[in-house]
Amino acid sequence: MQERPPRPPRAEPREVVELKQLKTSNPELASAIDMQLALVDVQRRIQSRVPLPWIQPDPAWLAAQREAGRPVVRFSDIPLDWTDFRLTLRQTADILHRFEAIDRDEHTAILAVGRDGNVLEPIVSRWYAATSGTDSSDPKNRLPPGAPASLDQVLLLALRPFLARCAEALMQREDLSGWMHGHCPICGWEPDFAVITPSADRRLICGRCTAQWMFGSSTCPFCANDDRSLVTSFATRDGLYRVYACDVCRRYLKAFDGRHSTRSVLIAVDTIATLPLDAAAMQKGYVG
Ligand SMILES: [Zn+2]
Ligand SMILES: [Zn+2]
């Protein structure tokens, strides 16, 4: 019998390589980077198992949603496997607890919610409906009374691998160029990062499903302020990252400046590399 040559070690994903490099160059970010590496690992493993969904909404309904500024992915469109979702929820909560982003009581409460399918399923569907704006649910009632506050963050991360596949499927097919809103055309969440293209346009990146869409380069996505004199913008010394801070609503958004880089944006890396910019923005009195 012929011996098979040993299999070469699988190449690490680009974002993992970059995060490790960042840890060497910025040791003060080590703990945040380790947490991000753990989260990226969970998300990649789950996302690779999620099928690309076939979302084919009725064209009239789609046009009406767009017209009303509502996103296109309804809860029933998400290819959610509950066993995988519960696993993602538990592992995400474990990581946040391990890195002290959530306390022990919250961790215990979230695991209890995740264990009971009869409790979990209505919580997740209600949370999505209330935070996506796909229907008229009230975003204030996104979580049941008494639910741990950090459940919001855990649901956001745990739903991402499933929603990211929806974004992938729809962005290949749908023309999003007519979308003029500051919230995500796919899932309705807010942008939490942006990318400046080599032609100086700005694309916003959804903080939940990671979809990208074009948006006015000096308009605030949170309050639609487009008075340039009321937008404070500053960049890192290497020009790689930029902050847009709104002097009307006091919120800010970070961006990766593609004009100063040979690689494209890596959201898992760039959000961590810019943590010092968050500190600078907050010191100036802005909120994320
Ligand atoms: Zn989204
Ligand atoms: Zn604003």
Side-chain angles (χ1 to χ4, degrees):
M1 213 172 100
Q2 223 176 353
E3 237 177 81
R4 261 197 254 169
R7 212 194 280 190
R10 194 132 51 105
E12 281 185 323
R14 181 77 191 263
E15 52 197 348
V16 171
V17 174
E18 295 266 349
L19 278 168
K20 288 181 176 171
Q21 277 171 8
L22 187 64
K23 197 169 149 184
T24 313
S25 59
N26 297 61
E28 74 284 2
L29 298 177
S31 172
I33 293 169
D34 286 339
M35 182 166 104
Q36 186 76 334
L37 282 166
L39 289 171
V40 163
D41 183 51
V42 168
Q43 305 228 328
R44 288 187 75 93
R45 258 185 297 125
I46 297 294
Q47 201 169 322
S48 68
R49 293 212 291 265
V50 180
L52 202 61
W54 180 248
I55 304 172
Q56 190 105 61
D58 168 56
W61 178 85
L62 192 64
Q65 288 293 95
R66 291 230 173 114
E67 183 68 31
R70 294 200 195 107
V72 293
V73 172
R74 291 157 292 189
F75 187 70
S76 56
D77 294 320
I78 306 172
L80 205 58
D81 175 295
W82 284 102
T83 305
D84 271 354
F85 181 75
R86 274 203 299 275
L87 176 71
T88 321
L89 185 89
R90 196 182 69 226
Q91 291 181 337
T92 303
D94 287 348
I95 292 167
L96 296 186
H97 179 234
R98 178 148 43 96
F99 288 93
E100 295 171 357
I102 59 175
D103 68 27
R104 180 148 50 128
D105 290 348
E106 298 242 318
H107 179 234
T108 310
I110 290 167
L111 293 194
V113 169
R115 255 193 305 272
D116 189 340
N118 295 330
V119 173
L120 181 67
E121 297 187 18
I123 286 181
V124 181
S125 62
R126 174 170 156 178
W127 179 80
Y128 182 78
T131 54
S132 64
T134 35
D135 61 19
S136 50
S137 306
D138 183 357
K140 281 199 236 53
N141 295 329
R142 60 216 268 169
L143 290 175
S150 53
L151 185 56
D152 217 46
Q153 191 193 359
V154 176
L155 287 176
L156 173 79
L157 291 167
L159 207 52
R160 180 171 295 157
F162 304 93
L163 271 175
R165 295 291 272 164
C166 298
E168 220 178 295
L170 286 163
M171 281 169 47
Q172 280 169 12
R173 245 186 25 223
E174 303 292 334
D175 174 20
L176 301 175
S177 60
W179 186 261
M180 303 294 190
H181 302 280
H183 56 274
C184 174
I186 304 292
C187 81
W189 196 261
E190 292 183 335
D192 82 339
F193 210 76
V195 57
I196 304 163
T197 66
S199 53
D201 290 320
R202 186 173 64 161
R203 283 205 307 269
L204 305 183
I205 304 176
C206 176
R208 177 158 61 184
C209 75
T210 69
Q212 299 189 7
W213 68 103
M214 289 288 208
F215 194 71
S217 58
S218 55
T219 304
C220 170
F222 306 111
C223 77
N225 159 39
D226 62 357
D227 182 343
R228 271 167 195 264
S229 67
L230 292 173
V231 174
T232 302
S233 179
F234 53 96
T236 47
R237 212 173 299 157
D238 57 9
L240 197 53
Y241 299 108
R242 178 165 284 283
V243 169
Y244 298 91
C246 176
D247 293 314
V248 175
C249 71
R250 308 297 297 170
R251 298 198 56 186
Y252 71 90
L253 187 70
K254 300 184 290 186
F256 171 83
D257 196 335
R259 294 170 297 182
H260 297 275
S261 180
T262 49
R263 70 156 165 89
S264 48
V265 64
L266 287 168
I267 193 76
V269 180
D270 295 316
T271 48
I272 300 296
T274 47
L275 287 175
L277 275 183
D278 289 288
M282 286 189 247
Q283 209 170 18
K284 292 178 200 281
Y286 299 107
V287 286

